[in-house]
Amino acid sequence: PLNRLSRLLATGHGAQILLSQTVQQLSRGRLPAGVTLRDLGEHRLRDLLDAEHIFQLLHPDLPATFPPLRSLDTRPHNLPRQPTPFLGREQQVAEVTNLLRRAHVALVTLIGPGGTGKTRLAVQAAAEVLDDFPDGVFFVPLAPLTDPALVLPAIATALGLREEPGQPLADRLRDAIAARTLLLVLDNVEHLAEAVPTIGHLLASAPRLKVLATSRVPLRLRAEHEYPVPSLSLPQRQPLPQLEQLQQYEAVRLFIERAQAVKPDFALTDDNAAAVAEISWRLDGLPLAIELAAARVRMLSPHAILARLERRLHFLTGGPRDVPHRQRTLRNAITWSHDLLQPDDQILFRRLAVFAGGFSLAAAEAITNADGSLDVLGGMERLTEHSLLRQSEGPGGEPRLAMLETVREYGLEQLAASGEQDLVRERHAGHFAALGDDIERVFWSRPVPLLAALEAEADNLRAALGWAEDHGKAETGLRLVLAFGVPALQRGMPAEGRDWLRRVQTPGGGAPPLQARVLTALGWFALFQGDSDA
């Protein structure tokens, strides 16, 4: 209701008092003497939901005449009506609209993986800048197209243009927009790369034209300003915020709103708050994934949903029938991106899925490209452009990359189907086991950088240890424990290292020098835990 109210207020002018239809009905027979209402008719507000019937309050002491309301109906546009409210993303909307209002910015591309909410953000931002484009804002859906040659006809159709005998459509379109102040919203451009130069030509021929595009990859035009679309805001895990504060985070708010759409009595409570927050975390704050999970509230509690997220790609299905096929399941959304990759990049993608919690460039080279057949650096750059990898800064300022967990699960499925899984996992375990070789001497001589590096690889070490345990690789497991456990001593947290050591240790496992080092580590673990009998 507060968001709806703000949209209503945005349509009015100073000193103008507006009422929604609900308030008008509640005020019948209760208005003060001299107060009347003027019916201003139905207007679409910029939340893009159903039209609102608006009334103006009149009184002899108030101005009565104002310009037309600043609703969506005052400018030409074809922005689609939205079936659900736009939740959160206030900062992102403000940043995108600020970019579009800059005189020198002609093209803004919203970039992100499938299910991030690029389209919804683009449509909302376009509604906010409607007054800045007197000749209109027009939405052009490109996802259904498979032929790049159909992009220009799609734009012409959105603008209401028809082909004329003797004049090519491209010329007619350029003539029609040359002197107009327009915004085109081109949705889902990523699979139509051959049409991108045509978009550049349109921008060059129409100085007052601007384009807001959504894509999983940059368009690579000189005029382009890339805007990576982030996931929804997430609460911290420990300590979990109080109930009232938890509902302020976008991912949690979206879960509640979509859950109430299928189960009106659903509410966030002390009993289910931790589960809802963890669901949001496990789904990386992706709007599509959260919507699909919340729809399961019809049958399952949040705790039951959380328990089933180990196989999220199988579980998160059954999206609305009035959305594109690629958005009905989480798997479809990721497959759309995967299928746009070149074959070598698909190989690299599935091999990189073996990493848990991210990886360095050196680790990626060692594990995915043992035969030297892949362009790993170029491939990772392309995977990042396709929003299948995310880059951050690792220890020592080195770049570090990672997959969203939802994307990684898909990659692991592809790795298993390829027949490469055992080989890649063995390389992964061997690479990180090498960190444990001679670690005692190196660790005590320069602990700070090494500790930071090993901290960054904790999830990879755990994944490798799990593989070594499952496959009876005792020696590899012991080397991994040394890499994992010595820093644990430095942190004063030896319990997990000691537990792993017990799990992978077998009688006679490893050469005598390795066994001696392992027994020494076990003694240190026991000492730190105060276990003198170990």
Side-chain angles (χ1 to χ4, degrees):
L2 290 175
N3 288 339
R4 189 73 167 168
L5 172 61
S6 69
R7 302 299 181 193
L8 175 60
L9 290 173
T11 67
H13 304 273
Q16 187 177 28
I17 300 177
L18 301 176
L19 286 71
S20 67
Q21 185 169 24
T22 300
V23 176
Q24 180 265 343
Q25 292 171 344
L26 291 172
S27 65
R28 286 178 181 174
R30 302 182 183 183
L31 295 173
V35 173
T36 59
L37 300 180
R38 175 182 292 166
D39 189 339
L40 300 181
E42 290 193 343
H43 294 263
R44 287 188 64 198
L45 307 184
R46 299 192 186 192
D47 57 7
L48 299 167
L49 300 176
D50 288 326
E52 178 73 60
H53 203 131
I54 301 176
F55 298 83
Q56 178 183 331
L57 187 143
L58 301 176
H59 186 273
D61 295 337
L62 293 175
T65 304
F66 295 92
L69 294 179
R70 294 185 290 246
S71 64
L72 290 180
D73 307 295
T74 59
R75 298 288 188 194
H77 73 91
N78 69 341
L79 295 177
R81 187 185 73 83
Q82 299 300 311
T84 57
F86 183 72
L87 299 176
R89 293 283 173 96
E90 291 88 355
Q91 178 180 345
Q92 287 75 41
V93 170
E95 291 171 347
V96 174
T97 55
N98 287 339
L99 279 174
L100 291 171
R101 286 173 173 142
R102 294 181 187 175
H104 66 282
V105 174
L107 168 63
V108 177
T109 306
L110 307 187
I111 301 171
T116 312
K118 300 182 295 294
T119 298
R120 190 69 177 89
L121 175 59
V123 171
Q124 189 60 48
E128 296 291 340
V129 298
L130 202 60
D131 290 337
D132 298 273
F133 296 91
D135 295 310
V137 173
F138 296 93
F139 180 80
V140 186
L142 300 179
L145 306 185
T146 57
D147 184 353
L150 297 177
V151 171
L152 279 185
I155 294 173
T157 299
L159 294 174
L161 299 177
R162 297 182 179 180
E163 294 190 43
E164 296 290 340
Q167 185 182 26
L169 180 61
D171 293 344
R172 175 159 172 71
L173 182 57
R174 280 193 290 269
D175 291 345
I177 66 176
R180 298 169 68 183
T181 303
L182 285 169
L183 175 66
L184 294 179
V185 182
L186 305 182
D187 188 41
N188 289 110
V189 187
E190 61 270 353
H191 63 301
L192 300 166
E194 293 178 16
V196 170
T198 303
I199 298 171
H201 295 153
L202 281 180
L203 288 168
S205 64
R208 289 189 284 175
L209 170 68
K210 296 200 176 193
V211 170
L212 176 60
T214 72
S215 177
R216 303 189 188 196
V217 296
L219 304 191
R220 292 192 174 276
L221 292 173
R222 286 182 296 172
E224 183 175 36
H225 284 68
E226 298 177 21
Y227 184 88
V229 177
S231 300
L232 297 176
S233 62
L234 293 163
Q236 63 185 22
R237 270 177 159 154
Q238 295 294 333
L240 192 68
Q242 296 295 317
L243 196 63
E244 295 78 10
Q245 296 174 317
L246 195 60
Q247 298 181 73
Q248 298 175 12
Y249 291 90
E250 294 168 345
V252 176
R253 286 167 58 190
L254 180 62
F255 185 95
I256 296 170
E257 195 274 341
R258 296 298 186 264
Q260 290 174 342
V262 298
K263 189 175 183 181
D265 63 346
F266 178 82
L268 194 69
T269 66
D270 290 330
D271 291 335
N272 64 26
V276 171
E278 187 61 24
I279 289 169
S280 302
W281 269 101
R282 295 278 294 279
L283 298 180
D284 305 304
L286 286 178
L288 174 60
I290 292 171
E291 289 182 9
L292 294 172
R296 297 291 188 178
V297 166
R298 182 187 288 111
M299 294 289 296
L300 301 172
S301 70
H303 292 91
I305 292 172
L306 180 60
R308 287 164 172 79
L309 289 186
E310 290 299 326
R311 303 185 68 206
R312 52 177 70 78
L313 294 181
H314 294 273
F315 181 63
L316 299 178
T317 60
R321 295 175 181 171
D322 58 348
V323 300
H325 181 72
R326 69 183 188 280
Q327 295 179 354
R328 295 183 191 176
T329 74
L330 193 58
R331 184 189 305 280
N332 289 349
I334 302 172
T335 299
W336 175 271
S337 289
H338 176 265
D339 290 350
L340 295 174
L341 298 174
Q342 295 299 314
D344 278 0
D345 291 343
Q346 291 181 349
I347 293 172
L348 179 62
F349 167 71
R350 67 179 182 242
R351 291 177 181 176
L352 289 174
V354 75
F355 289 101
F359 52 89
S360 66
L361 298 181
E365 279 278 5
I367 294 168
T368 67
N369 198 31
D371 59 1
S373 62
L374 297 178
D375 173 16
V376 175
L377 184 60
M380 289 194 296
E381 184 177 7
R382 290 186 290 273
L383 291 176
T384 303
E385 289 181 348
H386 280 259
S387 303
L388 294 171
L389 288 179
R390 291 193 169 188
Q391 184 176 338
S392 61
E393 186 174 301
E398 288 293 316
R400 188 169 179 83
L401 296 103
M403 291 181 183
L404 297 176
E405 281 303 306
T406 48
V407 173
R408 180 172 177 258
E409 183 177 328
Y410 182 89
L412 287 173
E413 287 186 354
Q414 298 299 308
L415 184 63
S418 72
E420 297 182 324
Q421 180 171 252
D422 289 342
L423 176 62
V424 174
R425 285 203 173 277
E426 186 167 11
R427 288 177 184 165
H428 177 267
H431 174 81
F432 288 103
L435 298 179
D437 296 340
D438 203 24
I439 193 173
E440 297 92 341
R441 178 181 59 81
V442 177
F443 177 76
W444 296 114
S445 64
R446 51 183 180 89
V448 175
L450 183 60
L451 182 61
L454 290 172
E455 284 278 7
E457 304 298 356
D459 288 335
N460 278 311
L461 289 164
R462 290 186 181 98
L465 278 163
W467 178 86
E469 179 187 20
D470 293 343
H471 289 76
K473 304 289 186 179
E475 182 167 334
T476 300
L478 293 174
R479 292 165 63 207
L480 285 163
V481 169
L482 290 170
F484 184 85
V486 174
L489 293 177
Q490 182 75 10
R491 296 192 306 267
M493 300 176 61
E496 185 179 2
R498 187 179 185 185
D499 179 61
W500 276 117
L501 187 57
R502 287 171 169 166
R503 288 164 61 176
V504 300
Q505 191 177 26
T506 58
L514 178 60
Q515 293 183 50
R517 293 171 58 216
V518 168
L519 290 173
T520 300
L522 187 59
W524 278 107
F525 291 148
L527 179 63
F528 268 72
Q529 289 186 285
D531 185 0
S532 60
D533 296 329

